[in-house]
Amino acid sequence: MRKGGKRKSTSQKQETEVKASSSSQENQKENHKLASKAKRAKSSKPQPQPEYFEDKRNLEDLWKAAFPVGTEWDQLDSVYQFNWNFSNLEEAFEEGGKLYGKKVYLFGCTEPQLVRYKGENKVICIPVVVAVVSPFPPSDKIGINSVQREAEEIVPMKQMKMDWVPYIPLENRDSQVDRLQSQMFILSCTQRRVALKQMNIDRLKKYEYCLPYFYQPLKEDELEQSTEVQIIFPAEQKPEFTDQLIEADELDKDKKDAFKEFVKEKVREAKKVNRQAREARKKALEEMSEETKAAFENMRFSKFYPIPTPDTPDVSNVKAPFINRYYGKAHEVL
């Protein structure tokens, strides 16, 4: 009897162990199912898409780096409101381009023009870049001139906080500037806009009347050949222009003699200026080396306008070769 009881006890023990094992396997299966569901739920979340940024072109900011000389300070923001494309300028410096391997000096300027944009005619301040191919800086001076000013000034660039500085392409900006033999120079201005509020109005206006100056000693200046004399005769109420006074016969009788003497004096001054200019040019030519003469003869001016894009005004119809009164016309307009 006792032996039979032992077998029964052993059988119950084995049955319990089987049930426990079966329960453990079921728990493992359930845990596996839960883990699988959690994994599927986790993997079903939307994965963030990788962002791709277009690589910057090596000379992409060249046109912005060249200071737009003579542009009114409050117009600068309007110049940069568009993402102008000067890839034509960039390509000129690539292998096979017009400026490849050459020493080039670049300055900026702006031209307000009426152009069509988004179905409307608008006056847009168009940025332009002038490239001067030369073995040396074309000038270290700036001309200050306008219709409102009685006489022009030719002053050193540094007086207006301007100078030729090397332009460093993007791929070289981690290198030391003094170790790079730059072939590209831009006319830069270090005048800070935040300091304009403390500047007197005459000094402020000078920046707006600035023109990049250039003197070509191999060519007689137009002013040297001119026989015209611009005269503003001071009157009590307002300045009077000579031709207007003569045509309208508005000059007072008591001022005629004074007016005649005023005109003669202005003519004498103009003749003196022209004579001094011819003498200075003659002296410069006599002292100039043949190498320098050849450099002036081979100087070339290229004028670059932005190319049309869907996001910018099309300026194709307003391109012009004229640069300014000192540089004259560009050899090439692009």
Side-chain angles (χ1 to χ4, degrees):
M1 292 290 292
R2 283 196 291 269
K3 289 183 180 177
K6 285 184 180 178
R7 283 197 297 270
K8 185 176 180 181
S9 176
T10 302
S11 176
Q12 289 176 345
K13 186 177 181 181
Q14 289 176 346
E15 185 177 348
T16 302
E17 288 177 354
V18 169
K19 287 182 179 179
S21 176
S22 176
S23 176
S24 176
Q25 289 178 357
E26 287 178 0
N27 288 337
Q28 288 179 358
K29 287 181 180 180
E30 188 65 27
N31 290 338
H32 181 71
K33 287 180 180 179
L34 292 173
S36 298
K37 286 182 180 180
K39 190 174 181 181
R40 284 197 300 271
K42 188 176 181 180
S43 61
S44 64
K45 289 183 179 180
Q47 296 297 316
Q49 296 296 321
E51 294 186 46
Y52 296 97
F53 297 95
E54 187 176 347
D55 291 338
K56 286 191 174 183
R57 301 187 302 274
N58 197 29
L59 305 179
E60 186 173 347
D61 65 349
L62 175 57
W63 75 272
K64 287 184 179 179
F67 181 69
V69 185
T71 304
E72 296 181 14
W73 291 105
D74 58 1
Q75 292 296 313
L76 285 178
D77 290 335
S78 69
V79 176
Y80 303 123
Q81 68 176 315
F82 298 106
N83 186 26
W84 299 101
N85 189 320
F86 277 87
S87 57
N88 52 345
L89 174 63
E90 299 167 35
E91 291 168 1
F93 285 96
E94 295 176 358
E95 189 171 355
K98 299 178 183 298
L99 304 177
Y100 178 73
K102 297 178 180 178
K103 200 166 191 175
V104 183
Y105 294 81
L106 304 105
F107 63 84
C109 56
T110 53
E111 297 179 357
Q113 297 284 0
L114 183 66
V115 296
R116 193 83 174 164
Y117 182 60
K118 291 187 176 180
E120 296 181 16
N121 290 326
K122 293 184 178 182
V123 176
I124 303 292
C125 210
I126 303 168
V128 178
V129 178
V130 176
V132 181
V133 176
S134 172
F136 47 75
S139 176
D140 61 354
K141 294 181 174 58
I142 285 287
I144 303 174
N145 198 7
S146 75
V147 177
Q148 290 82 5
R149 298 176 68 87
E150 291 185 10
E152 72 173 345
E153 291 182 71
I154 309 297
V155 301
M157 282 183 177
K158 293 185 178 180
Q159 186 173 315
M160 302 304 294
K161 295 189 176 182
M162 298 184 195
D163 202 0
W164 298 108
V165 299
Y167 172 79
I168 311 300
L170 290 174
E171 64 183 14
N172 296 330
R173 289 187 185 171
D174 292 334
S175 306
Q176 292 186 11
V177 176
D178 56 350
R179 292 184 179 180
L180 297 171
Q181 294 183 346
S182 180
Q183 292 287 90
M184 302 165 64
F185 296 84
I186 53 172
L187 186 55
S188 176
C189 179
T190 58
Q191 175 60 53
R192 295 183 303 153
R193 293 177 69 179
V194 294
L196 297 177
K197 293 180 181 179
Q198 286 76 41
M199 192 179 292
N200 66 59
I201 191 67
D202 184 59
R203 172 73 174 174
L204 186 65
K205 286 294 181 183
K206 278 187 176 182
Y207 278 97
E208 299 175 5
Y209 301 146
C210 281
L211 292 173
Y213 179 77
F214 177 70
Y215 177 65
Q216 172 56 280
L218 305 183
K219 183 180 178 182
E220 190 174 18
D221 190 273
E222 290 182 3
L223 294 178
E224 296 177 35
Q225 306 174 44
S226 177
T227 57
E228 295 181 4
V229 180
Q230 295 184 357
I231 297 175
I232 299 179
F233 184 63
E236 292 181 3
Q237 296 180 349
K238 59 181 180 179
E240 301 288 348
F241 290 90
T242 308
D243 54 353
Q244 293 176 352
L245 289 168
I246 295 172
E247 291 174 9
D249 195 23
E250 292 181 354
L251 189 64
D252 295 338
K253 291 182 179 180
D254 59 343
K255 291 183 179 179
K256 284 187 177 179
D257 290 340
F259 176 69
K260 289 179 181 178
E261 186 57 35
F262 182 81
V263 172
K264 288 179 182 178
E265 180 61 27
K266 290 297 180 182
V267 171
R268 284 194 292 268
E269 289 177 5
K271 286 183 177 180
K272 181 180 179 181
V273 170
N274 289 353
R275 183 175 65 254
Q276 289 175 340
R278 286 194 295 269
E279 291 173 356
R281 186 169 62 84
K282 183 180 178 182
K283 183 179 179 182
L285 284 172
E286 290 173 352
E287 297 175 352
M288 190 178 296
S289 67
E290 292 301 319
E291 184 180 358
T292 303
K293 285 182 183 179
F296 274 109
E297 288 175 351
N298 295 322
M299 272 190 189
R300 289 293 178 269
F301 310 148
S302 298
K303 190 177 180 185
F304 291 85
Y305 285 86
I307 65 172
T309 69
D311 301 324
T312 57
D314 187 349
V315 303
S316 303
N317 295 327
V318 295
K319 292 182 179 181
F322 184 74
I323 300 172
N324 64 35
R325 65 185 300 272
Y326 303 116
Y327 277 84
K329 294 181 179 180
H331 297 93
E332 188 175 29
V333 179
L334 300 160

